[in-house]
Amino acid sequence: MSQEKRVVFRSGWLPWVLLAPQAVVIGAFFFWPASQALLQSLQQQDAFGLAVEWVGLDNFRRLFEDAGYLASFRTTAVFSLLVAVLGLSISLLLATMANRVVRGATVYRTLLIWPYAVAPAIAGVLWLFMFAPSIGVVSYGLDRLGFQWNHLLNPNHAMTLVVAAAVWKQISYNFLFFLAGLQSIPRSLLEAAAIDGASPWKRFWTITFPLLSPTSFFLLVINVVYAFFDTFGIIDAATQGGPGKDTAILVYKVYYDGFKAMDLGGSAAQSVVLMGIVILLTVIQFRFVERKIHY
Amino acid sequence: MASISLRNVVKQYGHGAKANPVIHGVNAEIQDGEFVVIVGPSGCGKSTLLRMVAGLEEISGGEIAIGGRVVNDVEPADRDIAMVFQNYALYPHMSVFENMAYGLKIRKLRAEDIQTRVDKAARILELGHLLQRKPRELSGGQRQRVAMGRAIVRDPQVFLFDEPLSNLDAKLRVQTRLEIQGLHRELGVTALFVTHDQVEAMTLAQRIIVMNAGRMEQFGTPEEVYSRPATTFVASFIGSPAMNLLRGRVEGDRFVMGHTSLHLPAPAPRQGELVMGLRPEHAVPLTGGAGQSESPHSTAWPLRVEFVEMLGAERLVYGHLGGAPHAADRPAGHRSASDPNAFTLRIAGIDHPPHPGDTVWLQAPAVRLHWFDATSGQRVEE
Amino acid sequence: MASISLRNVVKQYGHGAKANPVIHGVNAEIQDGEFVVIVGPSGCGKSTLLRMVAGLEEISGGEIAIGGRVVNDVEPADRDIAMVFQNYALYPHMSVFENMAYGLKIRKLRAEDIQTRVDKAARILELGHLLQRKPRELSGGQRQRVAMGRAIVRDPQVFLFDEPLSNLDAKLRVQTRLEIQGLHRELGVTALFVTHDQVEAMTLAQRIIVMNAGRMEQFGTPEEVYSRPATTFVASFIGSPAMNLLRGRVEGDRFVMGHTSLHLPAPAPRQGELVMGLRPEHAVPLTGGAGQSESPHSTAWPLRVEFVEMLGAERLVYGHLGGAPHAADRPAGHRSASDPNAFTLRIAGIDHPPHPGDTVWLQAPAVRLHWFDATSGQRVEE
Amino acid sequence: MVERRPALTLLSHLILVLGVMIVAFPLYIAFVASTQTADAIVQAPMPMVPGAHLLENYQAALTGSGTGAGSNAPVSRMMWVSLVCAVLIAVGKIAISLLSAFAIVYFRFPMRQLFFWAIFVTLMLPVEVRIGPTYQVVADLKLLNSYAGLTVPLIASATATFLFRQFFLTVPDELVEAARIDGAGPMRFFRDVLMPLSATSIAALFVIQFIYGWNQYLWPLLVTTDEQMYPVVIGIKRMISGGDAANDWNIIMATAVLAMIPPALVVVLMQRWFVKGLVDTEK
Amino acid sequence: QTEIQWWHSMGGGLGDWVNDLAKDFNASQKDYKVVPVYKGAYDESMAGAIAAFRAGNAPHILQVFEVGTATMMASKGAVVPVGEVMKQAGVKFDTGAYVPAVAGYYTAPNGQMLSFPFNSSTTVLHYNKDAFKAAGLDPNKPPSSWPEVAAAAAKLKATGHKCPFTTSWVGWTQLESFSAWHNVEYATRNNGFGGLDARLVFNSPLHVRHIENLANMAKQGLFVYKGRGNTADATFVSGECAMETGSSGLYANIKKSAKFSAGIAPLPYYPDVPGAPQNTIIGGASLWVMAGKKPQEYKGVAAFLQYLARPEVAAESHKRTGYLPVTKAAYELTEKSGFYQANPGTDVAVTQMIRKTTDKSRGVRLGNLPQIRTLVDEEMEQVWAGRKTAKQGLDDAVRRGNELLERFQKSAKL
Ligand SMILES: Nc1ncnc2c1ncn2[C@@H]1O[C@H](COP(=O)(O)OP(=O)(O)OP(=O)(O)O)[C@@H](O)[C@H]1O
Ligand SMILES: Nc1ncnc2c1ncn2[C@@H]1O[C@H](COP(=O)(O)OP(=O)(O)OP(=O)(O)O)[C@@H](O)[C@H]1O
Ligand SMILES: O=P(O)(O)OC[C@H](O)CO
Ligand SMILES: [Mg+2]
Ligand SMILES: [Mg+2]
């Protein structure tokens, strides 16, 4: 795909007018706040913002000396990895099956698509409700099976709960994209592989899966960003970062430190770190998009 | 290498009320090492037939045998065939080498053996320097050759080709055609080749299967198909421009079409309603005759010229036999194939071409006339 | 209707160091109502030239005038032209009617006028029953006609076509070619038609512009271009199979190429290094000669046959003049165009074809020989 | 498929049915809970078949006549707020993105690259990471507790612009040329050709942005202090955050079901376009 | 009509109460309209209000839990002392009328009352009489010491009770109030009353002993942890848990929703600790008046606060919610009405609070205390889960808490 148009319209002012709304909105609500976040990361303020002091890189220093912050990095990594890997593999499995069956594919699709519409915060509530230690249906069922469910104290249970809710919510989205990706793989390639003697299993791993890689990579990035940011509502509703800080992912910590602990400088510094991570991810994604194989 | 037998092969998509029969019982015996081309218009079932041989479509009825073994229930992988697809179906994420090696790897050949086989195929196809490229870095012609390479390395009993040339541009098509032919000569493997292009069919085939609407209309050498088409369909499908097919009545030694009556150079095989065929290149214009309005000859036929197209080495002359009263003032674009006595003439050379409005006198050599039954379209012989 | 003048037209993309000149000064006067085809290989600048006439590309140098008015700085919409694109560029979301009406609507014609004009164009193009369809519901040929309809309704001074037929299949292409020709005859509008297909060019054009690498190589009638190509480029580009171009030295009445020396039927225009051209269809095989190894004639040339291709009505015979020692055992696919004395012969009829290994004796009619300067490629006349 | 393996097909169906069951289970539970009395739910195990209190629970939720912990604002009002926000966000974002993508793709002007990069940078950076200062801006503009405050800052990212740019690049050049020859100016081309052609992309983005807008949580949590401006997601959270008393799970679940219906309808009804529009452009 | 925004954290039965107060006040006059808004739990509404203040959008009245007091006090420019609001509005304001144990907590060293004591609670033991009966325990003899609690819990468990004992507000009930009740220091500098340089010391052997004790109970299933803040309250009200240490203010919700008969007992203690029981400390919340509003609005605020302080209103509130009476007059009114006799246990909170206080038991007033509460929750979760010993957990909590105190000290001095 060419990056430029051959023919362009000639006008001195029109493009500016067309760009103006977007420019105003991202200027006022993106670049200005982002620069403020940068400034604040170099400041120390009291809760009510009545006193401000420049502290240079102190906030960052404090951040990286804080074992809790580093632990939050680890938590985020574990959480994102689990969400992305589980979410992608489950939806890939489902999409592959749906792509196979031909009959009923649309029915399955319609049934599988629902959770996409559920807000993360509500997903958190739903799963919390199912796993609530005394009244939840699932925890009750587990209890009957002799399994003591307690995400209030057991960090593994808590992590399982938020991961399950996050994955559940994201499956639909992944599923749709995988299905579209699968359907765009030319049949003749699979036929050629069949003639070459490859079993269905082999065909999947040597042909389908590699050919899906652009979709998979796109989804991987989307899922990581989702796990990083959009799951805030789930965590807040289901565990509030607990037990201890075992499910406090970075964005939850930004929120907690900034809005509950009123440590604005620290929170802003965390925002800056997060921005860095996301920009890095974006650049990687863009590089890949640019180089992306157009089959 | 192996022979292929099609015995009353039937295919229908769907079941019961929604059944859509697309192949209506095809019988053909393809010899070991033979190069057979299946040709026919779009949608006539060529690909379906080929894919049944490949095992990619279930066979609804009849039997297919490869090398004497009935393969109706054999998986494609186990039929010992190789197939070249229209869009090549190269694995886009594998290098040329990997593409060719894939089938061998799956069959668990030793790495050295794979290397040897791929190298050999690459040498034959002059792909040696491209082995590390990905398909997208190749031109159309090169991709086509990789697709063939992938088929060759497998050393199969049968080669199947589904319109492998139609994605190439005209020049490359001609060249690749020659290559495929050379290759077949070299390897001697039984080959089944699908195309809708009759020129391709004529140049490549040892024998041609002409298909129409799920039926096999003729199975013969190019020579036979060209010189003795079995049906009007074959007659009009093979050869370009198409054979002139004139519908009329044989009355004694004359052929009557509406107001026009032509004197036949020899007796027709029978009297009554018939279709008479004559190829554009077989009608001989009587040299002195351009512009003349009187018949120079008792069996000469008058062609009223409407339009002449120059094709470099030759010309196509479009007109009406016996002269059609209103035809001349219609624009050429609106000539329709169903015009009863429209006639196309192909003449070589570029000197003294006839002009629109002229009458050209034609001689039809008796041996070049083809006769078909007016209702069944079947060839009628003496 | 209007004439078109190209006066020293130059185009380059980019500026300064990155400048990429693609048209190097083209001069041409196209008459009012004339149908001119621009032909040339891919990338030679045909589209660029056409698009400059349309106003879609800026003109880097020189002048373009339509109907006497210099249009260098006139917007496309104001040049009173219509253009048919290769991929038709139909608005996919509009019905056929809306597609045709769009330009008129923008020009604020009254609804009734639009209706009348579209109806008329639809009648001419037999699109009446398709007016409510969307482009995706049409076949390739129908889309092509809609694209033409969109141009016709505008009733422009000039029609521009950029390879409008190349997306059609072979049969449809021939048919549409006829339609365009008919249409031009009917409407009589000046037309500029781009193609890279020389057959199309020959059949359609009143005059042809042959372009090569941004230069105009020849501007003449199809007849002229075929019979008196101005350069080796034109000679090899026009005609299929291409003219045989033999590089050698004229020494007295002989033409010497390496070890082969041919006796010329008539004196060459000059002595020394020259390129001799002879079309495949113009070399005459001496009938009795197939299989003979002795020259039947002093000016007969021996052609060692390597390979024969059957094309229905005729055959192409590939071989080497004077006989090439090693050529015969190479597979046919690997003949290369740069082979010094490779020669292609085209013979009509299907009887008694020569076989590989035979020597065919050819007679070259003196008037059919073309001579070109060995370095500049320009035609050399007596 | 290429081969005939009924066992494999059966397995596929089994896996799919299992998948559907797992995916649907939480929703089913939510629905069942929304048809029970509050007491029935806290009995472990809670009933697994719908109860008889559907109407009263939904009525209670919609009118805010519940008696549970936390807030009891009427859900009908919240749904309206959510709907307005989701539509404003979707429409607003699509509108400004269409225009700016058009400018970037179809015009050459100074600093075009700069604009492109400026837009590109905003691609994936969600509000969450600059939430404090953004809140400040909104407050300074006196937009707290207003639809503008709830929506405009969420419009401030260029995902859609980027997507439209990608799509516009795939629109054949010939269409612009044809339009120019037909005499259409830029805006005319935009309106008559580009917009209709982008319909699937627009539809896809509408779905995504609608869901995005409807599901917002953290942002409305900050900018709304007025119960009249609570979107429904906040409403639900508000219903359970009071821990003093037993939560009215029946009402909460009724609200959750209500909150899911509009976005789910949008997704299910537009699923075809949704993927098509994205796949066509993104990849 | 002037609108007065009032942000609170009162859910359930307490929410009804707050709404009724506003409704009654609005009905009692025509000039002002108080609009109560539920803004989530205490920490959420406080965070929301601070953010709103920074954005210039604070409510007029903000209900802040007692642990937020130091933060509010340190933010001079953000709040208007209640006394001043009253004075400017010309409303008679007699600090002496308020219950001293309550008022003292909200009074600055200079004697100025900074916030309006609205719903002060203290820690008590709620227990389920029906469950006690079922377990063969005497429903009228609740456990008074921790060993008794453990014994009762064991009995409850033996009869199949899944959750014999739980607690809400771990930091408040098990450390802050626990310290005062046993007359030991929670933090230096008189638990923070003496200055910003106070540091936490709740890792004394007594504290360790108590937390260890709870951890053991947790291991045996006698103590079941039900989450942070007051989330455990719901489990007591629903009958799931048979005993709970928590706020006296839970009374309102028990009355509203509980399907069993409940009893209130004093907070348990260790009888072997000299001086125990001393007194429990104040909990609940007070109303802060935010700065930057119009005089007319402050007048409305003053009128509303004055209304809340009316003996009959305050007494009614006390009776309805279990929160302490705010003024002495209200207390006397309640006593006179015979409410305590009719509802045994409702006086427990009052008597617990009204004992004489010491420097160690006056209360806890530290900056960043909300965050300290959270980190205590975090550390204790590790202890209940058995992943840290009581000592480790407390030491870590003290260390992390002291870092917060240091930072607060720094920023408050800015
Ligand atoms: N999966 C299918 N289900 C139903 N009908 C089908 C299916 N595949 C092909 N057909 C029908 O079978 C007939 C033959 O199709 P086939 O692909 O064999 O034609 P073809 O001769 O290869 O044509 P082409 O030259 O266009 O490739 C067509 O009418 C087609 O519509
Ligand atoms: N926008 C552009 N910028 C730079 N170079 C260009 C541009 N457009 C075309 N060219 C170059 O100009 C030359 C002529 O292109 P043009 O499209 O006119 O060729 P053409 O003769 O129409 O070829 P084709 O038959 O493939 O359409 C080519 O070498 C091409 O690479
Ligand atoms: O539940 P409350 O209102 O008594 O408050 C308990 C604690 O004091 C909050 O810090
Ligand atoms: Mg086919
Ligand atoms: Mg071109």
Side-chain angles (χ1 to χ4, degrees), chain A residues 44-51 53 62 134 152-153 155 240 242-246 256 259-264, chain E residues 43-44 47 50-51 53-54 72 75 78 225-228 240 290 371 374 378 381-382 384-385 387 407 414:
Chain A
Q44 172 94 6
Q45 304 190 2
D46 77 331
F48 286 87
L50 300 169
E53 185 195 15
R62 193 154 49 82
S134 45
L152 288 174
L153 288 178
Q240 308 222 311
K245 285 214 176 299
D246 289 328
Y256 179 83
F259 280 87
K260 290 208 166 162
M262 291 303 153
D263 173 11
L264 269 108
Chain E
D43 55 343
E44 286 171 346
I50 290 177
F53 174 81
R54 299 176 62 105
M72 300 301 288
S75 318
Y225 178 66
K226 286 295 181 185
R228 301 178 184 180
E240 185 193 347
M290 305 301 289
Q371 290 90 286
T374 306
E378 287 169 9
E381 279 167 356
Q382 312 278 345
W384 311 147
R387 291 191 298 148
R407 212 165 69 234
L414 288 174

Side-chain angles (χ1 to χ4, degrees), chain A residues 6, chain C residues 13 20 22 40-49 86 163 196:
Chain A
R6 189 166 67 198
Chain C
Y13 288 106
N20 169 22
V22 296
S42 184
C44 71
K46 307 178 295 290
S47 297
T48 306
L49 196 60
Q86 171 167 357
E163 312 216 11
H196 64 259

Side-chain angles (χ1 to χ4, degrees), chain D residues 23-196:
Chain D
V23 164
F25 185 67
L27 301 172
Y28 177 73
I29 290 297
F31 174 72
V32 171
S34 74
T35 61
Q36 308 284 354
T37 60
D39 293 334
I41 297 172
V42 292
Q43 302 308 311
M46 117 184 190
M48 294 301 283
V49 287
H53 302 271
L54 184 131
L55 282 180
E56 62 194 73
N57 287 343
Y58 282 79
Q59 198 173 2
L62 282 170
T63 57
S65 57
T67 54
S71 158
N72 284 315
V75 173
S76 49
R77 168 71 196 175
M78 297 190 220
M79 301 263 293
W80 171 249
V81 173
S82 284
L83 185 70
V84 171
C85 288
V87 170
L88 278 180
I89 288 174
V91 171
K93 196 151 182 167
I94 288 169
I96 66 171
S97 302
L98 270 174
L99 293 178
S100 56
F102 179 55
I104 284 181
V105 173
Y106 284 97
F107 290 87
R108 298 284 171 277
F109 52 92
M111 302 203 296
R112 184 168 145 270
Q113 282 303 316
L114 183 80
F115 266 105
F116 175 69
W117 281 105
I119 281 169
F120 193 74
V121 165
T122 66
L123 252 189
M124 284 202 280
L125 220 50
V127 224
E128 280 81 356
V129 303
R130 57 193 149 89
I131 195 148
T134 310
Y135 176 78
Q136 190 72 49
V137 173
V138 171
D140 290 348
L141 293 175
K142 302 267 173 287
L143 294 179
L144 294 174
N145 283 320
S146 72
Y147 285 116
L150 274 169
T151 57
V152 180
L154 297 173
I155 294 175
S157 104
T159 5
T161 312
F162 190 71
L163 252 96
F164 281 127
R165 169 187 177 264
Q166 298 297 88
F167 174 73
F168 289 169
L169 287 175
T170 67
V171 171
D173 286 348
E174 284 82 359
L175 281 186
V176 201
E177 299 181 347
R180 279 185 71 187
I181 289 179
D182 271 343
M187 288 324 284
R188 191 86 202 234
F189 169 73
F190 179 71
R191 198 190 70 199
D192 291 351
V193 181
L194 213 48
M195 289 261 290

Side-chain angles (χ1 to χ4, degrees), chain D residues 216-247:
Chain D
Q216 277 306 313
Y217 170 58
L218 186 51
W219 181 246
L221 192 62
L222 292 177
V223 293
T224 57
T225 51
D226 179 357
E227 284 194 345
Q228 286 298 303
M229 291 304 289
Y230 279 173
V232 66
V233 176
I234 301 297
I236 291 180
K237 268 292 292 175
R238 279 280 174 270
M239 289 181 178
I240 49 170
S241 48
D244 316 66
N247 290 314

Side-chain angles (χ1 to χ4, degrees), chain A residues 1-11 14-16 18-19 21-23 25-26 28-34 36-37 40 93-94 97-98 100-101 103 106 108-122 125-130 134-135 137-138 140 168-169 171 173 175-177 180-181 187 190-191 194 199-200 203 214-215 218 221 225 229-230 232-233 236-237 240 251 254-255 259 271-272 274-275 278-279 281-282 285-286 289 292 294, chain D residues 1-3 5 8-9 12-13 15-17 19-20 22-23 25-27 29-30 33 41-42 44-46 48 96-97 99-100 102-112 115 117-118 120 122 124-126 128-134 137-138 141 152-153 155-157 161-162 165-166 168-171 173-174 176-177 180 185-187 189 208 211 215 217-218 221-222 233 236-237 240 249 253 256 259-260 263-264 267-268 271-272 274-275 278-279 282-283:
Chain A
M1 177 172 44
S2 124
Q3 295 297 302
E4 296 284 326
K5 281 281 166 197
R6 189 166 67 198
V7 196
V8 291
F9 291 108
R10 278 179 282 253
S11 171
L14 189 55
W16 299 98
L18 293 171
L19 273 174
Q22 174 105 62
V25 170
I26 61 174
F29 296 103
F30 187 91
F31 286 102
W32 173 253
Q36 289 298 301
Q40 285 179 4
L93 175 72
L94 291 175
M97 296 305 147
R100 258 196 74 85
V101 297
R103 210 164 306 174
T106 27
Y108 287 123
R109 190 175 66 184
T110 307
L111 289 174
L112 285 170
I113 204 176
W114 279 71
Y116 176 56
V118 179
I122 295 180
V125 170
L126 282 185
W127 283 76
L128 180 64
F129 177 62
M130 290 196 302
S134 45
I135 59 165
V137 273
V138 178
Y140 176 81
W168 174 76
K169 199 197 134 21
I171 281 180
Y173 187 86
F175 173 81
L176 283 175
F177 276 85
R187 249 178 87 101
L190 298 171
E191 293 178 345
S199 62
R203 271 201 308 264
T215 309
F218 165 78
V221 174
V225 171
F229 299 108
D230 293 348
F232 172 83
D236 191 42
Q240 308 222 311
V251 67
V254 170
Y255 167 78
F259 280 87
S271 292
V272 171
L274 267 183
M275 284 187 216
V278 175
I279 288 175
L281 271 176
T282 313
Q285 153 92 338
F286 189 60
V289 169
K292 195 157 60 188
H294 289 283
Chain D
M1 199 50 197
V2 178
E3 73 281 280
R5 295 184 200 216
L8 216 54
T9 309
S12 306
H13 280 289
I15 291 178
L16 282 167
V17 169
V20 167
I22 291 174
V23 164
F25 185 67
L27 301 172
I29 290 297
I41 297 172
V42 292
M46 117 184 190
M48 294 301 283
I96 66 171
S97 302
L99 293 178
S100 56
F102 179 55
I104 284 181
V105 173
Y106 284 97
F107 290 87
R108 298 284 171 277
F109 52 92
M111 302 203 296
R112 184 168 145 270
F115 266 105
W117 281 105
F120 193 74
T122 66
M124 284 202 280
L125 220 50
E128 280 81 356
V129 303
R130 57 193 149 89
I131 195 148
T134 310
V137 173
V138 171
L141 293 175
V152 180
I155 294 175
S157 104
T161 312
F162 190 71
R165 169 187 177 264
Q166 298 297 88
F168 289 169
L169 287 175
T170 67
V171 171
D173 286 348
E174 284 82 359
V176 201
E177 299 181 347
R180 279 185 71 187
M187 288 324 284
F189 169 73
I208 290 194
I211 303 292
N215 289 350
Y217 170 58
L218 186 51
L221 192 62
L222 292 177
V233 176
I236 291 180
K237 268 292 292 175
I240 49 170
W249 282 109
M253 287 300 150
M260 279 181 236
V267 170
V268 169
Q271 55 175 318
R272 193 152 287 142
F274 171 53
V275 184
L278 285 179
V279 171
E282 177 54 34
K283 294 197 277 115

Side-chain angles (χ1 to χ4, degrees), chain D residues 244, chain E residues 10 42 65-67 119 121 169 172 247 249 283-285 323 373:
Chain D
D244 316 66
Chain E
M10 301 281 90
Y42 283 133
F65 57 167
E66 91 287 9
V67 290
N119 60 324
S121 62
W169 301 109
W172 180 44
S247 165
Y323 281 113
R373 280 261 178 96

Side-chain angles (χ1 to χ4, degrees), chain B residues 308-315 350, chain C residues 34-39 181 197-210 218-230 234-235 237-239 243 279 281-282 370:
Chain B
V308 180
E309 209 177 34
M310 154 108 183
L311 292 173
E314 63 214 357
R315 282 165 207 253
I350 55 155
Chain C
E34 202 177 10
F35 198 119
V36 171
V37 175
I38 307 179
V39 72
Q181 220 163 7
D197 177 350
Q198 53 96 16
V199 175
E200 221 165 272
M202 296 293 278
T203 49
L204 275 172
Q206 287 172 338
R207 282 200 292 165
I208 292 180
I209 294 177
V210 183
Q218 189 165 5
F219 184 17
T221 64
E223 205 84 54
E224 282 164 12
V225 168
Y226 179 79
S227 327
R228 295 174 48 78
V234 177
F237 192 79
I238 300 287
M243 182 186 281
R279 293 204 181 272
E281 57 269 30
H282 289 159
H370 305 262

